[in-house]
Structures are given as C-alpha cells and as structure tokens.
Amino acid sequence: MAETGASPLPPTPPAHTPLARAERFVWLTARVLEQRRFAYHFLGGGADAVETALSAYRNEDDGYGHALEPDLRGPVSQPLHTGQALHVLDSIGRCGGQRVERMCRYLTSVSTQDGALPTIHPSQRGYPAAPFLPIVDDPPSELLATGPVVGLLHRNEVWHAWLFRATDFCWQAVESLDKSHPYEIEAAVAFLDSAPDRPRAEAAADRLGRLVREHRLAALDPARLEAFPVAPGYAPGEHHFPYDYAKTPGSLARAWFTDAEMTGSLEFLVSRQQEDGGWPVHRRQWAPGTALETRPIVTIEALRTLRAYGLPVG
C-alpha cells in the first residue's frame, strides 16, 4: 500500500523523556520538513513524506533555496541550501539516483574555477542573508561549503565529473590548514569521514586533532568554559564541544578525545535541552524567524547524536 504523509504514527513516549519533550517542541514550532524528519527518525514515519516536504525547496535549476538553510532567505538556489538538502536525503537513505545527479549539475554550475563551492553565490544579492555570510561578486572556494557535500557524495557512492576536482580541492584545503575555526574543522571532518583514501584521511584527521587541542577549539570541560576561547567573529558563548566534531562514534574525530571528555560533552548536551523541549542555537542571531526555524533542526541533530552514542532519549 502506498505510503502517505498522513499515515498513523506510533504512540508518543512518556512525557518526561527528552524525546517526548522534544516532540512537543517540534509540533509547536517546526516547519513541515522538520516535523516529517522528526517523525522519520524517532516515530516510525516514512521517508517518502520527508522527500515530499523537501521538494518544496527545489528550484528549476535543481539547486535548493527558499531558506532551507534559515540564515539565507529568498528563493534562489545556493550551495548551502543544496548541501543541506543532500544531508536530509542522506539521513533517510535517499542520497542517490537521478535527482542527486541533477543536483551535481547545479553544483557544477556554481563552482569556482578550481572546482570547489563558494559559501554564498552572488545570486543571493538582493535577498536577506546573515551578516556573517558576506556576498561578493567573485566568491572564493570554501572548505566550509565543499567538504560536507563531497563527503556525503562519497559516502553514498555517487560519481560525477564535478566530484573529482572538488575532492582534490578538499584534500589540498584540509592538508594545508594550520589555523582554523570550529565550523571549518567540522567541514573537514565531514569530508575525511567518507573520503575514499582511508590511510590519507586518517593521517589528516590525526593532524587536525592535534591542531584542535593545541588551539583549544573544543571545550573539553563544560564546567570551565572560560578556559576555552571563542573563535573571532563567533557569538559570545559559541563554544564547540567534542560531540560537534565527532557526531557519531565512528567518526575519525572520536579519537581526538578521551572517553571521559566525550562522556562529559554528551552529558552536557543532554543538559542543554531547554524547558520548552528544544535545544538552543548558540551562533549569532540576526532575525527572530531564523532562530525559530533553526532550533528544530538543532534539536533533531542533538537527538540523533545522543542516540548514535547509545544514550537513552525516550
């Protein structure tokens, strides 16, 4: 029988569990896409319903727009939106086929001369965007935008001509990092976790782990956050923790942290659930609607990380 978006869901868990509290928060505040993602990951909902909701963000150029990534407003396709769409498809086991091939054609059309992705394509000009995402006429290649996309495509064994040059860019960018910031390191990990050359990826990850610890880019003791500097340009209190880098136990970044450090960070993640059931957004806020749309996304990812490490959520 065909799956529908209105199919019954299992009974909700007891109201005192983190999952039940998060569920109420999602139904109260989330967009349809995040509601269906939550239902898929935690309530037995179907993947078709997620795909249907995601399709509303797709444009005729096979890129994605319409504020799929809430910090970029307006209808135009952008690499960050399209990367988020690939993340959603990967999370439901649908990152493949002709749709993803068409997405790669869009990525090719907006790539830089060296085959990588800019964070923001100039077509964003004229629409609202977060002030920390500058729009320029000739945007540079960015590991921040390219690494996660390339990693997802490799993990799902997607092969496209664009991917070869983009992969070369990621290797060069990752292996030349000597100073960085947490979001760029996260992008590097997203690439390395799925890069085909595993010995090279492991060596690069080992070097990055030393860089993270030497430059105190991970808050290793949540009780002493003042000992860990916030990166320049970040919001006050915008710390990053071991779970931000090692989102699953299988990540190469997991080896960067002791068991005690990882456990402490996960316990801290549990404690960050707020009274309304959602997890907070700690990056700089610039418009009320963006924070409201982002919190359900952050909440889903927090629950997925906790579940990946075997912590009970509901």
Side-chain angles (χ1 to χ4, degrees):
M1 184 174 181
E3 181 182 295
T4 67
S7 57
L9 297 175
T12 57
H16 65 278
T17 67
L19 184 61
R21 293 166 57 205
E23 181 184 355
R24 175 174 171 78
F25 171 76
V26 166
W27 295 135
L28 280 172
T29 66
R31 305 179 296 191
V32 172
L33 175 59
E34 280 70 53
Q35 291 177 8
R36 290 184 170 181
R37 288 191 68 206
F38 187 92
Y40 172 84
H41 288 296
F42 305 109
L43 301 175
D48 286 352
V50 178
E51 284 195 85
T52 298
L54 182 63
S55 66
Y57 297 87
R58 185 173 64 85
N59 287 317
E60 291 184 1
D61 60 7
D62 290 307
Y64 286 70
H66 306 280
L68 179 56
E69 161 50 60
D71 280 331
L72 294 178
R73 315 306 293 182
V76 294
S77 297
Q78 285 291 326
L80 287 182
H81 296 315
T82 307
Q84 177 64 10
L86 286 168
H87 172 72
V88 171
L89 292 171
D90 173 68
S91 72
I92 63 173
R94 298 284 180 90
C95 190
Q98 292 186 354
R99 171 185 28 224
V100 173
E101 290 181 10
R102 293 193 297 268
M103 293 169 74
C104 287
R105 287 202 293 270
Y106 161 75
L107 295 171
T108 302
S109 74
V110 296
S111 63
T112 60
Q113 288 187 349
D114 52 10
L117 295 174
T119 299
I120 307 295
H121 188 267
S123 59
Q124 182 66 32
R125 185 173 283 108
Y127 298 101
F132 47 82
L133 296 173
I135 302 168
V136 297
D137 289 332
D138 187 19
S141 303
E142 294 282 1
L143 181 61
L144 188 70
T146 313
V149 169
V150 173
L152 282 173
L153 294 176
H154 279 304
R155 179 159 69 245
N156 288 278
E157 299 182 347
V158 174
W159 299 107
H160 188 274
W162 172 78
L163 188 58
F164 294 99
R165 294 186 67 206
T167 299
D168 288 342
F169 166 81
C170 288
W171 279 123
Q172 189 278 331
V174 169
E175 293 177 337
S176 63
L177 285 177
D178 56 359
K179 293 181 180 179
S180 189
H181 58 91
Y183 289 120
E184 188 173 49
I185 297 293
E186 286 183 35
V189 172
F191 166 69
L192 293 174
D193 276 348
S194 299
D197 188 338
R198 300 314 297 156
R200 187 177 180 183
E202 290 166 6
D206 183 65
R207 189 183 70 84
L208 286 186
R210 293 195 299 272
L211 184 152
V212 165
R213 297 188 75 93
E214 289 169 5
H215 293 266
R216 293 184 293 164
L217 298 181
L220 301 179
D221 184 355
R224 297 178 56 252
L225 292 180
E226 70 281 355
F228 301 93
V230 173
Y234 282 30
E238 193 176 357
H239 292 94
H240 286 241
F241 300 87
Y243 61 73
D244 287 309
Y245 300 106
K247 299 182 189 300
T248 69
S251 172
L252 291 173
R254 175 61 185 88
W256 300 352
F257 310 108
T258 67
D259 289 348
E261 289 167 348
M262 198 74 224
T263 298
S265 79
L266 291 168
E267 291 174 347
F268 182 65
L269 179 59
V270 172
S271 75
R272 296 182 99 177
Q273 187 177 23
Q274 298 189 325
E275 187 174 345
D276 62 7
W279 267 260
V281 178
H282 286 287
R283 67 174 181 262
R284 194 177 301 279
Q285 300 304 306
W286 60 282
T290 61
L292 185 64
E293 292 179 354
T294 302
R295 284 192 66 207
I297 300 172
V298 171
T299 296
I300 290 169
E301 297 306 327
L303 289 168
R304 292 184 68 206
T305 294
L306 293 172
R307 188 171 65 179
Y309 280 94
L311 274 73
V313 294

